[in-house]
Amino acid sequence: MLLSLAIIFILGFTLGEILNKFKLPRLLGMLIIGILIGPNAFNYLDESILSISSELRRIALIIILTRAGLNMDLKDLRAVGRPAILMSFIPASLEIIGTIIIAPKLLGISLLDSAILGTVIAAVSPAVIVPKMLKLIGERYGIKEKIPQLIMAGSSVDDVFVIVLFTSFLGLAKGGDISALNFIRIPTSIIFGVLVGVLIGLALIELFRRFTIDDSLKVVLVLSISFILVTIEDSITGNIGFSGLLSIMSIGITIKRVRPDIANDIGLKYSSLWSGAELLLFVLVGATVDIKYVSGAGLSAVILIFGALVFRVIGVYICLLKTELSTREKIFSMIAYCPKATVQAAIGSIPLTEGLASGNIILTVAVLAIIITAPLGSFAIDYSYKRLLNKA
């Protein structure tokens, strides 16, 4: 395992930096290295690290969402309230509808399988989007209009909404049924996730006030609590939901609101952690890619992905109606709300393992969505933000 970790860090960093010199996103280099050293290509990764790949990717996601919370001001969230709520479900809903319309004609699959495919590819990737939005906040682009905060807030809830729909449609395909009670998980996941996060954030602030704790130990404590929260989320079944990831983000937002000095200190430590976690996340996402499936998907799958993205950007535009954003700022928001990666890597293979007839094609489109939208979206954000957003 140690040799595999060394290969991931050294090769992922090296190719990422090489591509960065050519003005291409580092993310693309990390994905390419993951594909090459993964089990479906040269197979340089030890089986032991592949067996915990999903847990390592989740740790990376926890780190970036905590960092997002520590950098997000509650006043900014209030200012973008209505559009952020709409962004959490309208773009994904329209992308799922678009997939249901397009996929049966292009891929020859049923409406139900098209709905499952739509939920797999509809979620945006906080792991791609959040670091970019934090960069914008650091460079003070779009912060007066609250654009980075809007996109971060919407993307964190978007995943909860999509995963609940995915679980419901998959259950229906396996012979179950969908009732109104299934969808209670969406608001309850959000409400309980935020509530628990706020309470834990306040408790941590009181702990830090009473005891002198080193910043590094504060990070260890917050990380440990985060691991517990996502474990609780996994263990909860039934119609009442709980979002551990939203809870983690809420901890950071609460600390930022009450004690911004502590948030800044911890945030610096999390920034350092992200440097390594980013390599782990995207190299291991690349390692899930099976080139055989991708090469056999053909042009139809690519057309489907871009067709579904058209529905997504229309959804983003609808969310931003009646806001004070300029046309340029709306265009940037549409661009920034397209990258896919983490959710697709996490759930793309589930329909195949559950025995669905279209499991292979769903996995293939999920993989293609990562390969196409993650690097292209990352590049488009880097290329456009200085041209489309105002610097405060």
Side-chain angles (χ1 to χ4, degrees):
M1 181 188 286
L2 295 180
L3 179 59
S4 295
L5 286 172
I7 291 171
I8 288 171
F9 288 129
I10 294 172
L11 295 184
F13 170 79
T14 302
L15 189 55
E17 289 300 313
I18 290 171
L19 292 188
N20 188 51
K21 294 293 183 184
F22 291 96
K23 306 299 183 183
L24 293 170
R26 292 185 179 90
L27 165 63
L28 180 57
M30 298 173 199
L31 286 172
I32 291 172
I33 285 297
I35 293 170
L36 292 176
I37 67 176
N40 300 306
F42 294 106
N43 197 22
Y44 288 145
L45 295 180
D46 190 271
E47 184 63 35
S48 58
I49 199 165
L50 292 173
S51 65
I52 60 169
S53 172
S54 60
E55 286 80 5
L56 292 173
R57 297 198 304 268
R58 180 176 281 196
I59 290 171
L61 187 59
I62 286 169
I63 290 170
I64 194 57
L65 287 178
T66 308
R67 187 180 165 208
L70 291 168
N71 283 272
M72 195 176 293
D73 195 314
L74 193 59
K75 290 182 289 186
D76 292 337
L77 281 180
R78 288 173 181 162
V80 298
R82 182 187 65 85
I85 293 171
L86 296 178
M87 292 271 277
S88 67
F89 70 93
I90 287 181
S93 297
L94 286 186
E95 189 168 5
I96 293 168
I97 291 170
T99 306
I100 293 172
I101 293 170
I102 300 170
K105 296 180 176 63
L106 285 177
L107 304 179
I109 60 178
S110 68
L111 287 176
L112 179 55
D113 286 354
S114 298
I116 295 170
L117 173 58
T119 59
V120 169
I121 65 173
V124 294
S125 174
V128 178
I129 291 174
V130 171
K132 297 297 181 185
M133 296 305 106
L134 291 176
K135 177 184 176 183
L136 265 61
I137 292 172
E139 297 183 15
R140 304 188 65 76
Y141 278 93
I143 62 170
K144 183 180 178 182
E145 298 81 10
K146 311 295 188 295
I147 293 170
Q149 297 91 328
L150 165 66
I151 293 171
M152 284 196 296
S155 67
S156 63
V157 182
D158 173 279
D159 290 358
V160 176
F161 174 72
V162 167
I163 289 171
V164 170
L165 290 181
F166 169 77
T167 304
S168 300
F169 288 140
L170 185 64
L172 186 61
K174 291 165 59 181
D177 56 6
I178 296 179
S179 69
L181 290 176
N182 294 121
F183 297 98
I184 293 177
R185 285 187 67 88
I186 296 173
T188 55
S189 292
I190 296 168
I191 292 168
F192 289 123
V194 171
L195 180 62
V196 170
V198 170
L199 293 175
I200 292 175
L202 293 172
L204 285 171
I205 291 165
E206 182 64 19
L207 179 68
F208 298 155
R209 186 185 69 82
R210 289 176 176 269
F211 300 96
T212 302
I213 303 175
D214 182 77
D215 288 339
S216 297
L217 289 177
K218 289 176 184 173
V219 170
V220 172
L221 181 60
V222 174
L223 267 180
S224 301
I225 292 171
S226 300
F227 297 161
I228 293 171
L229 289 171
V230 294
T231 304
I232 291 172
E233 178 182 3
D234 292 341
S235 66
I236 291 178
T237 57
N239 296 317
I240 302 300
F242 168 74
S243 173
L245 295 179
L246 268 182
S247 191
I248 290 162
M249 201 170 180
S250 300
I251 291 172
I253 293 172
T254 304
I255 295 174
K256 173 73 172 179
R257 172 65 175 167
V258 181
R259 289 293 303 273
D261 55 327
I262 294 177
N264 291 337
D265 293 339
I266 300 177
L268 290 173
K269 298 287 185 182
Y270 267 94
S271 296
S272 300
L273 278 177
W274 174 245
S275 299
E278 181 183 31
L279 287 163
L280 266 181
L281 175 63
F282 291 112
V283 173
L284 290 175
V285 165
T288 66
V289 174
D290 191 331
I291 297 298
K292 291 183 297 183
Y293 290 144
V294 174
S295 59
L299 186 61
S300 297
V302 177
I303 293 172
L304 169 65
I305 290 166
F306 281 106
L309 283 177
V310 171
F311 282 82
R312 168 168 282 275
V313 298
I314 291 171
V316 175
Y317 180 78
I318 291 170
C319 296
L320 300 179
L321 290 174
K322 297 185 179 180
T323 64
E324 296 180 358
L325 298 185
S326 67
T327 301
R328 290 184 300 116
E329 290 160 348
K330 289 176 182 176
I331 290 172
F332 175 82
S333 301
M334 294 176 196
I335 292 170
Y337 219 56
C338 287
K340 326 278 187 176
T342 37
V343 172
Q344 288 71 31
I347 68 175
S349 62
I350 292 177
L352 180 62
T353 58
E354 293 290 342
L356 263 66
S358 58
N360 262 334
I361 192 64
I362 291 174
L363 175 59
T364 300
V365 177
V367 168
L368 271 174
I370 296 170
I371 294 173
I372 293 170
T373 66
L376 280 182
S378 178
F379 175 76
I381 292 169
D382 287 340
Y383 178 80
S384 65
Y385 77 94
K386 290 183 180 179
R387 294 167 172 82
L388 300 177
L389 301 181
N390 298 318
K391 186 171 183 178

